[in-house]
Amino acid sequence: MSLYDVSLRSQANYPYVTFYYYKEWQDFAMELHEHDSVEIMYVMCGSCKIELEGETLHLKKGQFIIIDANVPHRLHVQSEKKCRMANVEFAFRPGVTNYLPFKQVVEETPSLLQMLCDYQPYLLFLDSNDIYGCLKNVILELDKKGTSTDFMVQLLLSQLMIRISELANRNDYAPEQNLYNKKAVEFIHQNYDRDIRVKDIADAVHLHPGYLHRVFKETMGCSINHYLILHRMKKAKELIAQTDIRITDVPYYIGVNTQQYFSTIFRKYTGNTPMEFRREQQRLHLQSDDFIKK
C-alpha cells in the first residue's frame, strides 16, 4: 500500500515492519526491484547511489531516502567505497491494537497530513531532526526477540514519521531542496565567469542533473539556466556601469563566449543594448554630480 493511499487517512490501518537491517555494503549492485512496503534507507557512513524514477541519487552520511511502495529502485555501492546503512521497510494492515490507528496520528499531526497529501515516489533528506535516533529505536525494539510488541513498534514508527514530516515541512529547510539549492547558487556565484553547464553544477552538489533541475525550479521558481543568465546579466550591468571595461570584453568576464549572444541576451533582459545601457548610466551619473554641486 502506498504511503499516500487515501484509505490510510480514512480507515483504521496500523503500520508494521516487514524487513529491517543494519548492514555495511561494499562492491554491491542490487537488482532493480520493487515491493509492497515503504522503505527508509539511512546512510550512517560512507556513500552510495540509488537509481529510481530515471534518476541516480548520490547519498552520503546523514542523508536518508523514503521510497514509496511499488516504486522500482536499486542500490549501488562502488567497490572502492563502503556504505553502512540502517534500513526499515514497513506496510499497513487493518486490525485492532491498543495503539491509535494511523489515520488518527495523521489527523493529529498537521505536518504529516500535509506531507501525505502531496504524492512523491521518493523523498530525499539531510537529517537535522534526530531522524537517526528515531530509526535506531525502531530497529532496537525489533531486535528484542520475544519481547517486542506491536504497540511499541507502532508507537516508534509513528514517532519516526512525525519527525520526518516536521523536517519536510520546516520553512527554513523544505526537505533537502534548500540545502542543494544553496550549494548550487554558491557554485554559480563562484563560477559564473566560466563556461559552466547544469551538469557541472549538479556534479558539484552531488546530484543527478535532472533531479537538481526539478528541485531547483520547484523551490526557486526558475530553472538553473535562467538563474545563471540573470546572475550573469547582473554582473554585466555592474561591469558596464561601474568600470571602463570595453563592451566587447564584458562577455568574457561573465562566462559568455560570443559578443553577439551577449548583446542579444543583454537586450532581452534589460531592454537596452550594452552600449545604450552604458550611456544611460553615464548620463545618470552626470546628473547626480550636477545635483550634488548645486
Side-chain angles (χ1 to χ4, degrees), residues 46-215:
S47 62
C48 67
K49 294 191 296 185
I50 297 175
E51 298 174 14
L52 76 173
E53 295 293 297
E55 299 176 325
T56 300
L57 308 180
H58 297 260
L59 275 67
K60 293 186 175 182
K61 179 180 178 180
Q63 290 183 295
F64 67 98
I65 188 171
I66 306 176
I67 303 173
D68 196 31
N70 302 309
V71 173
H73 60 279
R74 67 190 295 260
L75 169 70
H76 177 73
V77 181
Q78 297 178 1
S79 58
E80 67 274 15
K81 296 182 180 180
K82 294 182 179 180
C83 181
R84 182 162 179 77
M85 303 182 71
N87 176 289
V88 167
E89 298 173 19
F90 63 96
F92 297 88
R93 61 189 172 198
V96 178
T97 74
N98 292 326
Y99 188 61
L100 300 174
F102 189 69
K103 74 180 186 69
Q104 191 166 341
V105 177
V106 175
E107 290 170 359
E108 297 293 331
T109 313
S111 61
L112 186 55
L113 176 60
Q114 182 176 341
M115 187 178 82
L116 298 185
C117 285
D118 181 20
Y119 173 76
Q120 300 289 339
Y122 66 89
L123 293 167
L124 177 63
F125 298 91
L126 176 65
D127 189 2
S128 65
N129 203 32
D130 195 30
I131 304 302
Y132 175 66
C134 294
L135 185 65
K136 182 174 68 173
N137 287 339
V138 174
I139 294 175
L140 290 176
E141 180 64 29
L142 292 164
D143 274 340
K144 294 179 180 179
K145 294 184 170 65
T147 60
S148 176
T149 65
D150 287 343
F151 174 85
M152 280 302 300
V153 172
Q154 290 162 4
L155 175 65
L156 293 170
L157 277 175
S158 296
Q159 180 191 33
L160 175 62
M161 291 307 300
I162 290 170
R163 291 290 176 261
I164 290 173
S165 71
E166 291 172 347
L167 184 59
N169 287 280
R170 277 174 49 185
N171 291 332
D172 62 337
Y173 189 75
E176 84 292 357
Q177 283 93 326
N178 279 355
L179 173 68
Y180 291 124
N181 288 341
K182 180 181 178 181
K183 290 182 177 180
V185 167
E186 288 175 353
F187 183 86
I188 290 171
H189 287 189
Q190 293 167 7
N191 297 276
Y192 70 90
D193 57 340
R194 300 192 299 113
D195 182 19
I196 57 174
R197 300 288 186 269
V198 172
K199 184 181 184 304
D200 301 318
I201 302 169
D203 288 343
V205 301
H206 308 294
L207 282 185
H208 185 277
Y211 180 74
L212 176 61
H213 175 79
R214 178 164 66 85
V215 299

Side-chain angles (χ1 to χ4, degrees), residues 95 157 175 185 230 279 294:
L157 277 175
V185 167
L230 288 175
R279 288 170 180 164
K294 293 178 181 179

Side-chain angles (χ1 to χ4, degrees), residues 164-282:
I164 290 173
S165 71
E166 291 172 347
L167 184 59
N169 287 280
R170 277 174 49 185
N171 291 332
D172 62 337
Y173 189 75
E176 84 292 357
Q177 283 93 326
N178 279 355
L179 173 68
Y180 291 124
N181 288 341
K182 180 181 178 181
K183 290 182 177 180
V185 167
E186 288 175 353
F187 183 86
I188 290 171
H189 287 189
Q190 293 167 7
N191 297 276
Y192 70 90
D193 57 340
R194 300 192 299 113
D195 182 19
I196 57 174
R197 300 288 186 269
V198 172
K199 184 181 184 304
D200 301 318
I201 302 169
D203 288 343
V205 301
H206 308 294
L207 282 185
H208 185 277
Y211 180 74
L212 176 61
H213 175 79
R214 178 164 66 85
V215 299
F216 192 96
K217 190 168 186 178
E218 287 176 355
T219 311
M220 302 292 287
C222 67
S223 69
I224 295 174
N225 279 327
H226 185 64
Y227 184 90
L228 175 59
I229 291 172
L230 288 175
H231 188 69
R232 282 173 167 165
M233 292 304 102
K234 174 186 174 184
K235 292 300 180 181
K237 288 193 293 184
E238 291 174 359
L239 289 170
I240 293 171
Q242 301 171 16
T243 76
D244 295 326
I245 293 172
R246 292 186 303 175
I247 295 294
T248 54
D249 290 337
V250 170
Y252 306 107
Y253 280 85
I254 62 168
V256 176
N257 291 328
T258 68
Q259 176 68 39
Q260 182 178 1
Y261 175 72
F262 168 67
S263 297
T264 300
I265 205 74
F266 188 90
R267 186 166 191 170
K268 176 181 178 181
Y269 281 85
T270 68
N272 299 107
T273 66
M275 185 57 71
E276 289 171 344
F277 182 80
R278 171 164 279 177
R279 288 170 180 164
E280 178 64 16
Q281 293 301 307
Q282 290 172 342

Side-chain angles (χ1 to χ4, degrees), residues 10-25:
S10 61
Q11 301 173 16
N13 286 279
Y14 301 85
Y16 69 99
V17 172
T18 59
F19 188 70
Y20 71 97
Y21 63 74
Y22 277 121
K23 188 173 179 63
E24 184 173 271
W25 305 96

